[in-house]
Amino acid sequence: MCAAVLTVGLLAVPAQADTGGEAAQLRGASWALKSTGKEVRFRGLSAVSRSTAWVAGSKGTVLRTVDGGRSWSDVSPPVAVADGLELRDIEAFDARRAVALSIGEGEASRVLRTEDGGATWTETFRNPDPRAFYDCLTFFDSHHGLAVSDPVDGKFRLLSTADGGRTWQPLPADGMPEALPGEAGFAASGQCLVSAGPKDVWLATGGGATARILHSADRGRNWTATQSTVPAGDPARGVFALAFRDRTRGLAVGGDYRTGQPSPQAGSRSSDGGRTWTPSTTSPPAYRSGAAWYPYGSNTALAVGPTGTDVTTDGGRNWRPLESGSFDTVDCGPDAGCWASGEKGRVARLEAGN
């Protein structure tokens, strides 16, 4: 096993940012790579706990660990492997129940569900509309969830489930604002659609003249749109990931995903449920595709991308680089079991310092 370690350099965080001793909580922690034996790219990740996590990626691949990453079970849906589906999001409720989303135009966008730890899968949705392209999933609880598609007929399209992903129904479009020309979601990390609490959900966009963040307080029936501070104006730029600690405090990260392109103002934060957004004083230094709040610190969060990982201990005001290892997405379980995944089969868990 390749035990790569990234030192979480919180010693460099200014004292005024060390709110409530949060820097001390992670000081000396590290990412430790967990060998998966795969070379596929894992953009879908769901952290159930320190011991249990699911990853989903290219070539229809789904892996699950229940022993903290020491071993991985290949629980890939046979139909996803046979059809070479790109699984870009997975939402797990526990070690046995998970819902995975594949992306693509028309029938390439599908939802699959397992109730037995991936031993068997059921396809619960196959997109019949060649104009639709589904990007992300989110669940409010183990029953209620949403899936979002890029705009169709000028508006983002939403599917809703009330039975844990067993069945899906389209939501009416009358409560959705008109999409901007060229506006879309990014299926980069499974975090373009996120929820907090029983009814609040946010959608991140890019590709249009501005990158917007849309919010619904009624499980997706009615939405308001707010301009973010992350630059857009190009199909490769915008907000790629959101993370909300609760109904009010949110983070947005993104930039330009093209290699070598600058990504100024790649971080933004909200303290009013996404009604307004403020640029980070010190943003991540490059494009970031994933973000997650650290459960044991009210102001601590992680952001990841192909060029590295960053941390904030002041609620997104300031970000500090940690290392240059490549990850696409990051997620933390309620017991502070934080995981990251990305290209070439890379999966890591945040380990405590000695």
Side-chain angles (χ1 to χ4, degrees), residues 324-350:
S324 57
S326 175
F327 293 110
D328 291 311
T329 189
V330 60
D331 192 28
C332 295
D335 64 350
C338 294
W339 297 78
S341 66
E343 63 180 346
K344 298 180 180 179
R346 284 169 58 87
V347 181
R349 190 182 70 176
L350 195 66

Side-chain angles (χ1 to χ4, degrees), residues 36-157:
T36 62
K38 301 291 184 179
E39 290 294 321
V40 301
R41 191 164 198 164
F42 292 119
R43 292 185 183 269
L45 167 67
S46 188
V48 177
S49 66
R50 283 187 56 79
S51 61
T52 301
W54 300 67
V55 290
S58 54
K59 300 180 180 179
T61 307
V62 178
L63 304 182
R64 182 193 66 147
T65 183
V66 293
D67 57 11
R70 288 190 295 273
S71 64
W72 294 86
S73 299
D74 188 335
V75 295
S76 304
V79 66
V81 175
D83 292 348
L85 298 182
E86 285 286 331
L87 299 173
R88 294 291 183 90
D89 198 357
I90 188 164
E91 303 291 331
F93 307 117
D94 49 41
R96 297 184 62 79
R97 298 175 297 158
V99 179
L101 172 73
S102 69
I103 67 158
E105 296 176 348
E107 292 189 353
S109 284
R110 306 179 199 177
V111 178
L112 302 106
R113 186 180 188 277
T114 182
E115 297 182 344
D116 53 13
T120 61
W121 292 83
T122 302
E123 183 181 295
T124 60
F125 172 76
R126 182 178 296 206
N127 173 36
D129 191 336
R131 301 171 299 167
F133 186 115
Y134 284 83
D135 298 300
C136 295
L137 288 169
T138 192
F139 277 85
F140 303 93
D141 51 45
S142 61
H143 298 288
H144 300 91
L146 296 174
V148 65
S149 162
D150 289 339
V152 176
D153 295 328
K155 294 185 177 182
F156 285 93
R157 177 172 290 180

Side-chain angles (χ1 to χ4, degrees), residues 274-314:
R275 288 190 293 273
T276 61
W277 291 86
T278 302
S280 298
T281 303
T282 305
S283 281
Y287 157 68
R288 295 293 179 254
S289 53
W293 289 94
Y294 182 66
Y296 290 173
S298 62
N299 293 299
T300 300
L302 299 162
V304 300
T307 62
T309 302
D310 307 285
V311 66
T312 178
T313 57
D314 57 10

Side-chain angles (χ1 to χ4, degrees), residues 152-199:
V152 176
D153 295 328
K155 294 185 177 182
F156 285 93
R157 177 172 290 180
L158 288 160
L159 296 175
S160 175
T161 181
D163 54 14
R166 294 178 181 86
T167 60
W168 298 84
Q169 296 78 36
L171 287 182
D174 53 355
M176 175 67 70
E178 292 286 338
L180 302 176
E183 189 175 29
F186 291 111
S189 61
Q191 295 176 327
C192 67
L193 186 71
V194 301
S195 56
K199 293 185 177 181

Side-chain angles (χ1 to χ4, degrees), residues 195-264:
S195 56
K199 293 185 177 181
D200 286 273
V201 58
W202 296 263
L203 168 62
T205 81
T210 61
R212 300 196 297 174
I213 297 170
L214 283 65
H215 171 240
S216 170
D218 57 6
R219 292 186 183 155
R221 294 192 174 274
N222 296 282
W223 295 79
T224 56
T226 302
Q227 183 174 332
S228 79
T229 63
V230 177
D234 185 278
R237 295 200 296 260
V239 177
F240 281 72
L242 298 170
F244 271 80
R245 179 172 286 286
D246 49 39
R247 296 185 66 233
T248 59
R249 292 179 294 165
L251 301 172
V253 297
D256 190 320
Y257 71 77
R258 294 171 295 191
T259 302
Q261 293 297 311
S263 293

